[in-house]
């Protein structure tokens, strides 16, 4: 289903004027709800196979902090960082990381911590700090999950399950317009948590 098809479906359900394209205020308001349903509600609900990304990143010598992105996608979660030879770079919480980094000096990085997520025009990135301080350039393998692409054009395709995106977006659109969304909220919640026990139409997912 395309973005404009989803917007029109929600407009009909709300008995609103049906837009010819995504070029008016009403369609843009509904489109924002669709994006929020995909990129916030659903992306935060579980780990979707459709959103899994992997690639390699260059870690530069003497640079403690690196901003990580993969394939120019909106990186949301890092699950694995390892050197090309298979040596893992383990994530540590702040206190443990700082304790180790104070005495680790320079060398091959073996631990990291996440310092912040960055949302920029070029896309979402995750900023990490490494220890020891890299003593050379290292190529590392990254695996994680991205956010669904933001829908902008009429023909942009919905990434995740269309049915649950519809109910989530309809719930949000009704809330934004001061309308009762009790039914939509119940349907969305029920369908979302079906993921835990029935992966038939959802691919392999893991609730988080």
């Amino acid at each position: 289903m395309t973005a404009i098809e989803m917007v029109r479906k929600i407009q009909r359900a709300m008995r609103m004027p049906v837009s010819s394209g995504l070029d008016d205020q009403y369609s843009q308001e509904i489109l924002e709800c669709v994006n929020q349903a995909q990129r916030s509600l659903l992306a935060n609900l579980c780990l979707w196979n459709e959103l899994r990304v992997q690639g390699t990143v260059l870690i530069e010598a003497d640079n403690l902090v690196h901003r990580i992105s993969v394939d120019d996608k909106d990186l949301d979660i890092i699950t694995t960082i390892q050197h090309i030879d298979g040596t893992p770079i383990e994530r540590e919480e702040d206190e443990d990381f700082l304790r180790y980094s104070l005495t680790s000096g320079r060398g091959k990085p073996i631990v990291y911590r996440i310092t912040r997520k960055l949302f920029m025009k070029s896309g979402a990135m995750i900023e990490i700090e490494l220890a020891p301080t890299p003593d050379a350039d290292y190529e590392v393998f990254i695996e994680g999950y991205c956010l669904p692409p933001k829908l902008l054009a009429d023909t942009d395709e919905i990434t995740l399950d269309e049915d649950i995106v519809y109910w989530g977006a309809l719930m949000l659109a009704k809330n934004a317009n001061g309308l009762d969304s009790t039914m939509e909220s119940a349907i969305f919640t029920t369908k979302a948590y079906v993921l835990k026990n029935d992966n038939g139409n959802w691919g392999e997912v893991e609730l988080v």
Side-chain angles (χ1 to χ4, degrees):
M1 180 179 287
T2 64
I4 187 59
E5 289 170 341
M6 179 65 76
V7 166
R8 288 170 178 165
K9 184 176 180 180
I10 294 169
Q11 287 175 329
R12 292 188 186 100
M14 295 181 65
R15 299 183 179 179
M16 298 173 63
V18 176
S19 300
S20 59
L22 299 176
D23 53 2
D24 61 71
Q25 177 184 347
Y26 303 108
S27 63
Q28 284 295 310
E29 289 175 355
I30 299 296
L31 182 64
E32 179 59 32
C33 294
V34 177
N35 275 317
Q36 187 177 348
Q38 273 213 120
R39 290 169 59 88
S40 181
L41 296 182
L42 292 184
N44 290 332
L45 177 70
C46 58
L47 303 180
W48 299 78
N49 274 346
E50 294 94 327
L51 302 180
R52 184 174 290 159
V53 293
Q54 58 183 29
T56 57
V57 173
L58 180 66
I59 299 299
E60 297 177 347
D62 301 314
N63 192 352
L64 283 174
V65 177
H66 286 77
R67 293 178 176 180
I68 305 298
S69 64
V70 178
D71 295 335
D72 295 323
K73 295 181 178 178
D74 290 340
L75 187 62
D76 186 46
I77 297 170
I78 294 174
T79 55
T80 300
I81 305 181
Q82 64 182 34
H83 292 277
I84 296 302
D85 64 8
T87 305
I89 304 177
E90 302 286 355
R91 181 179 177 181
E92 297 285 356
E93 296 304 320
D94 288 349
E95 185 176 345
D96 292 334
F97 177 88
L98 291 171
R99 185 183 303 114
Y100 174 78
S101 64
L102 288 174
T103 59
S104 61
R106 299 175 74 252
K108 184 177 183 178
I110 60 171
V111 297
Y112 76 97
R113 69 167 176 167
I114 292 176
T115 56
R116 57 179 172 164
K117 289 185 179 180
L118 300 167
F119 296 91
M120 309 171 73
K121 288 184 178 180
S122 57
M125 293 183 276
I126 296 178
E127 187 177 88
I128 66 170
E129 185 176 354
L130 296 159
T133 301
D135 60 349
D137 289 349
Y138 292 95
E139 189 175 19
V140 300
F141 171 79
I142 305 283
E143 187 171 50
Y145 293 84
C146 66
L147 295 173
K150 188 171 185 178
L151 302 171
L152 298 171
D154 290 14
T155 55
D156 287 349
E157 294 282 341
I158 305 294
T159 303
L160 302 179
D161 186 272
E162 296 167 1
D163 186 46
I164 196 169
V165 170
Y166 167 74
W167 287 107
L170 181 56
M171 173 186 70
L172 293 171
K174 283 197 168 185
N175 288 341
N177 284 275
L179 301 174
D180 179 38
S181 64
T182 303
M183 182 184 74
E184 291 77 14
S185 178
I187 293 172
F188 173 78
T189 301
T190 299
K191 287 179 176 291
Y193 283 93
V194 164
L195 293 173
K196 191 171 185 179
N197 300 312
D198 181 11
N199 294 341
N201 294 323
W202 304 86
E204 297 176 6
V205 295
E206 176 186 344
L207 292 182
V208 294

